[in-house]
Amino acid sequence: MEIASLVAQVQGFSAVAAGLLIGLAALGTAIGFGVLGGKFLEGVARQPELTAMLMMRMFLVAALVDAFAAISIAMGLYLFFANNPFLGAVMNAAKPAVGA
Amino acid sequence: MLTTQDSTKNSAIKMVLWQICLCIVYAGVLCLAAGMQSGWSALLGGMSYCLPNFLFVRRVFAQTTARAATQFVIRFMVGEVAKLFSSAVIFVLVIKYFAVKTIPALSGYIVVIIGFWFISMLFMLREGKVSQ
C-alpha cells in the first residue's frame, strides 16, 4: 500500500513537472517570437530593401530563442510518454520490500 | 546569377546542412568512444531535430520578397510550432520504439541544438565581414 502511494506520488509530481516544462517553454518562446516577429515587420516597413538580410537575421536569432524550448518540450513529452526515470528508481528501491 | 533572395535561402539551407554534419561527427565520435549503440543513439537523437529543421527551412524560405514579409512571418511562426512539436514527438518515438540508449540520444539532440548556436554565430560573423 505504501509503495503504491509512493508510485502515485512520483507519477503525480512527474506530471506536474512535465506540464511546467512544456508550459514554461511555450510561454518563453511565444514572448520571444512575438517580439522577434514584431521587430522584423517594423524593420521591413522602414527599409524594404533589407528584407532578405532581415529574414536571415530573424532565422539566426530564432535558433537562439527556440533552443531551450525544444529541449524542454522533448523532456516533457519524454516524461509523459516514454520511460519515467524517477518511477524506475522508486521501483528499483521497492523491489527488496516486495520480494520481486 | 543568384539573387539576394536565393542567397538567403541558400545560406539557411547551408546552416542546416552544417548542423547535420555536426550530428554525424558527434555520432562518429561517440561510436568510437562508447560503442556502436551509443553512436547510433546519438545519430537518431540528433536527426530527430535536424530533419524537421531542414523541412522548416525549405518551406519558410520558399518566398523571400519584401512584399511577402507578412506571409513570411506567419509561415515562420506556424513552421516553428510544427518544428518544435514534431521534433519532440520524433525524439520520444525514437526513444520508445528503437533500441537506443537514452543518455546518448538526449546528448545528440542537445548537441545538435546548441551546436546550431555556434553555427549561426559563425554565419553572423562571416556575414559581418562580407558587408564590411
Side-chain angles (χ1 to χ4, degrees):
Chain A
M1 193 63 194
E2 204 174 301
I3 291 168
S5 88
L6 251 178
V7 168
Q9 222 173 34
V10 169
Q11 275 182 331
F13 281 127
S14 299
V16 171
L20 280 175
L21 273 170
I22 295 174
L24 291 178
L27 183 72
T29 314
I31 293 171
F33 276 109
V35 173
L36 193 60
K39 295 286 180 191
F40 168 74
L41 287 178
E42 264 179 37
V44 170
R46 279 189 196 163
Q47 286 179 296
E49 70 274 11
L50 294 181
T51 306
M53 193 201 79
L54 289 174
M55 281 175 181
M56 192 61 201
R57 291 276 160 91
M58 184 175 165
F59 175 65
L60 295 178
V61 177
L64 306 182
V65 173
D66 80 344
F68 284 108
I71 294 168
S72 55
I73 289 172
M75 287 309 296
L77 290 182
Y78 175 71
L79 279 179
F80 265 134
F81 297 112
N83 303 319
N84 185 342
F86 307 117
L87 201 59
V90 170
M91 297 308 277
N92 282 340
K95 260 181 197 169
V98 177
Chain B
M1 199 181 115
L2 280 178
T3 61
T4 319
Q5 281 82 28
D6 286 336
S7 81
T8 305
K9 187 181 177 184
N10 287 346
S11 300
I13 288 179
K14 219 181 276 177
M15 283 174 62
V16 180
L17 291 179
W18 272 105
Q19 192 184 28
I20 292 173
C21 287
L22 176 74
C23 175
I24 292 169
V25 168
Y26 180 70
V29 169
L30 217 61
C31 190
L32 292 174
M36 191 69 186
Q37 203 191 356
S38 297
W40 176 241
S41 307
L43 185 71
L44 284 178
M47 282 298 168
S48 63
Y49 186 82
C50 288
L51 293 181
N53 202 19
F54 184 72
L55 293 177
F56 164 75
V57 168
R58 284 288 304 264
R59 185 160 158 63
V60 166
F61 285 93
Q63 276 183 323
T64 51
T65 54
R67 212 172 279 176
T70 314
Q71 290 295 316
F72 173 80
V73 173
I74 293 169
R75 272 204 312 269
F76 199 95
M77 300 299 172
V78 173
E80 193 65 43
V81 170
K83 182 183 85 175
L84 282 178
F85 191 70
S86 61
S87 67
V89 167
I90 292 170
F91 178 74
V92 171
L93 290 177
V94 162
I95 294 272
K96 201 164 183 186
Y97 294 110
F98 283 78
V100 295
K101 290 182 180 173
T102 309
I103 299 296
L106 188 62
S107 73
Y109 187 77
I110 292 174
V111 160
V112 158
I113 292 173
I114 303 295
F116 200 63
W117 287 11
F118 295 102
I119 294 168
S120 58
M121 278 169 202
L122 283 178
F123 268 73
M124 269 182 166
L125 282 176
R126 212 182 65 171
E127 212 178 90
K129 272 183 190 165
V130 168
S131 66
Q132 268 176 9

